[in-house]
Amino acid sequence: MSGKRIGLRWRVALAFTVAFTLMMCALGFTLFTAFEEMEDTLVERLMNDEVNFMIERLRENPRLATPANPHLKAYLIRTPADGHSLPDYLRRLGIGQHEVYEGGNEIHVAVRDVSGGRLYVAYDVSLFQKREQQFLVLLGLSLFAVIGVSLTLGYWLSGVLVKQITTLAETVDRLRPGELRQPLAQPGQEAEVTQLARAFDNYQARLDELLRREQEFTANASHELRTPLTAIRTSCELLAADNGLSVKSAQRVASIAKAARRMSTEIEALLLLAREQATDENQTEAVREIVDDALEPYRAELRERNLGIKLDIAPDAVLTLNTRALQLVLSNLLRNAIQYTPQGHIGVRYRDGTLEISDTGTGIVADKLEQVFERYYRGNGASPGGMGLGLSIVKRICDQFGWRVSAASTVNQGSIFTLNFFDKNDNSTK
Ligand code: ADP
């Protein structure tokens, strides 16, 4: 798991397994030690009983033959000649208790002097040892079984426990600020999950309130600014119609009018973004018409600066979407295209839900292509009047309406801004 943290579910299952395995090991160890101790005591007692029994019988009848069975053997050595019948491994043993290995088997031996000779009792405990090994194998198998069972059980149990949390996480993931929704805290949840859900509900309520206030403020501010702007634009139009104005003053009036127009567009954009229901206001309109309307304010500048305009849009191509929003997007993209194109032409092309605005201007360096959509980003040769907000507004509108905007460019050859309406929006036709 390179650098990736294991999930809560696996960790609970592992903790479960480790705990059970440790318990099983401790239990196994205790059982095994007890088993061994029992075996030793049992063998010792067995031998003692056997030796005492034989001594007793020998006392009653010194001629009695010594018993022999596959596990217990006894030898009574009365004369040196008897010593030959004694197996090698017993010969070197003195009086007392011994544990010897013969032919790979463990043999417990008791050597005692009795009336009439020396008694050797040998007890082969290999049967016990076999049992001991079987017991060990059984313990090992049970350990594996415990690991398997506790891992499965732990994984299942923790799954049940974290299910409510993952369900909550999925619901939170689907939440959109400002949307109507059921409270996350629901009956039947575990107490801790309810606590978490309530915390989310409260946080969402605060977010909604913040969003509402921001929208209210933007809407109010935009609305309040529109009236004085209209006054400025009307005065500019009246002044421009005045033939007595010097050329210099006429130019100043024209630039005031241009700035006022730009402000109006931006205020329109703010108002649009502030309105919640904007996404529902769809209209079907010819693409050519939408582009023509957006181009209208720039026609004079295009003429003055001798910039060409190439439109490649089928006359019957239509789009069903919020045309006001698209106008704003187009207006910003066209303004940039004109601003950053010293000579050449501006192109607008439409094919299958994709609208391209191209220019033969200064272009944008490759590593800044993503940045141009950030607020307040301005390139090296940015126009003096701009604030670096135009493209960020374009991006926000596109995000709000589910359109995709992207830029491609070659320095000193030009840029292409592409709008794709099909991505999340099936409203467009042709
Ligand atoms: P600004 O008000 O500075 O034009 P924008 O957000 O509209 O702000 O654009 C951000 C920056 O992206 C501009 O400063 C400019 O460097 C670059 N840019 C945008 N459009 C073009 C274009 N068509 N050609 C070259 N550069 C552009």
Side-chain angles (χ1 to χ4, degrees):
M1 304 228 159
S2 54
K4 209 177 153 193
R5 279 177 71 87
I6 337 172
L8 186 62
R9 202 171 167 189
W10 271 111
R11 276 200 273 167
V12 173
L14 284 177
F16 222 69
T17 312
V18 170
F20 271 104
T21 310
L22 286 178
M23 258 161 64
M24 183 69 196
C25 284
L27 195 73
F29 180 75
T30 316
L31 276 178
F32 188 71
T33 323
F35 186 90
E36 267 207 325
E37 233 161 70
M38 259 167 64
E39 179 207 311
D40 285 348
T41 322
L42 196 72
V43 170
E44 210 171 296
R45 259 179 63 187
L46 217 117
M47 289 201 51
N48 273 339
D49 288 354
E50 199 62 37
V51 170
N52 292 338
F53 178 67
M54 284 180 71
I55 292 173
E56 200 59 41
R57 283 181 62 195
L58 279 168
R59 204 172 285 146
E60 285 166 12
N61 181 4
R63 295 280 108 220
L64 203 72
T66 49
N69 78 42
H71 297 294
L72 185 86
K73 290 196 174 74
Y75 305 88
L76 181 61
I77 309 300
R78 294 187 183 94
T79 62
D82 285 349
H84 296 302
S85 64
L86 205 61
D88 280 348
Y89 70 91
L90 292 178
R91 274 183 204 167
R92 55 197 140 80
L93 300 179
I95 292 176
Q97 297 280 123
H98 307 274
E99 269 181 46
V100 292
Y101 287 87
E102 173 61 17
N105 292 347
E106 188 184 326
I107 296 170
H108 286 218
V109 184
V111 184
R112 297 252 189 108
D113 271 340
V114 294
S115 57
R118 182 167 285 189
L119 181 67
Y120 289 83
V121 177
Y123 189 71
D124 183 349
V125 292
S126 57
L127 200 74
F128 280 92
Q129 289 215 305
K130 213 179 256 171
R131 292 251 164 84
E132 198 176 280
Q133 268 162 13
Q134 281 171 348
F135 184 62
L136 259 182
V137 170
L138 203 74
L139 271 182
L141 287 177
S142 330
L143 191 67
F144 274 113
V146 163
I147 291 177
V149 169
S150 53
L151 203 63
T152 318
L153 203 73
Y155 190 71
W156 172 77
L157 200 70
S158 51
V160 173
L161 290 178
V162 296
K163 177 95 185 92
Q164 291 197 353
I165 297 179
T166 44
T167 313
L168 183 67
E170 280 161 16
T171 321
V172 172
D173 204 32
R174 283 196 297 270
L175 289 182
R176 294 286 166 266
E179 253 177 22
L180 272 180
R181 61 176 172 270
Q182 296 275 325
L184 294 170
Q186 293 287 330
Q189 284 169 338
E190 301 294 336
E192 292 80 3
V193 179
T194 311
Q195 194 181 355
L196 191 66
R198 279 217 186 101
F200 273 126
D201 280 335
N202 292 340
Y203 184 64
Q204 275 293 321
R206 288 201 295 276
L207 265 187
D208 287 349
E209 176 59 20
L210 213 68
L211 193 80
R212 194 191 57 74
R213 267 195 267 157
E214 189 205 278
Q215 281 173 342
E216 207 176 271
F217 171 77
T218 321
N220 287 346
S222 314
H223 191 79
E224 294 304 318
L225 285 172
R226 266 207 300 201
T227 323
L229 262 177
T230 315
I232 294 172
R233 286 173 64 183
T234 321
S235 307
C236 284
E237 276 163 26
L238 289 174
L239 272 174
D242 183 352
N243 291 333
L245 223 59
S246 71
V247 180
K248 222 169 173 185
S249 303
Q251 274 173 353
R252 290 223 173 105
V253 168
S255 67
I256 294 172
K258 194 176 155 190
R261 217 170 29 238
R262 186 169 173 167
M263 261 178 96
S264 306
T265 323
E266 254 136 44
I267 285 167
E268 285 286 336
L270 285 177
L271 255 181
L272 189 89
L273 289 174
R275 274 181 18 234
E276 276 173 48
Q277 306 304 324
T279 29
D280 297 338
E281 295 168 8
N282 285 342
Q283 294 139 29
T284 303
E285 208 170 313
V287 183
R288 242 202 138 112
E289 224 163 278
I290 303 173
V291 174
D292 273 340
D293 283 353
L295 262 172
E296 195 47 44
Y298 303 109
R299 290 228 184 254
E301 190 173 347
L302 285 167
R303 258 196 313 274
E304 268 167 37
R305 294 190 33 216
N306 216 12
L307 288 175
I309 175 93
K310 288 186 182 168
L311 297 184
D312 178 6
I313 304 167
D316 57 347
V318 290
L319 277 171
T320 303
L321 37 66
N322 188 311
T323 44
R324 186 77 210 101
L326 182 55
Q327 294 263 359
L328 281 166
V329 167
L330 280 180
S331 169
N332 275 290
L333 293 178
L334 287 169
R335 190 182 59 227
N336 279 350
I338 296 164
Q339 251 170 14
Y340 298 109
T341 304
Q343 59 187 25
H345 66 265
I346 313 298
V348 185
R349 182 175 185 270
Y350 179 78
R351 287 279 182 287
D352 304 324
T354 302
L355 194 64
E356 286 174 2
I357 293 89
S358 61
D359 62 60
T360 55
T362 53
I364 304 161
V365 281
D367 58 346
K368 300 285 183 226
L369 273 178
E370 282 299 311
Q371 255 170 286
V372 294
F373 294 104
E374 287 169 12
R375 273 158 72 115
Y376 307 119
Y377 170 78
R378 309 200 65 217
N380 282 339
S383 72
M387 297 269 289
L389 283 175
L391 288 181
S392 77
I393 291 178
V394 165
K395 179 86 173 71
R396 261 191 76 177
I397 296 178
C398 287
D399 286 348
Q400 182 169 349
F401 289 91
W403 308 333
R404 200 179 57 175
V405 60
S406 57
S409 187
T410 311
V411 175
N412 292 332
Q413 284 190 27
S415 315
I416 303 180
F417 282 82
T418 307
L419 290 168
N420 196 302
F421 308 107
F422 273 146
D423 260 9
K424 292 182 205 158
N425 186 344
D426 290 335
N427 297 333
S428 43
T429 48
K430 265 210 167 173

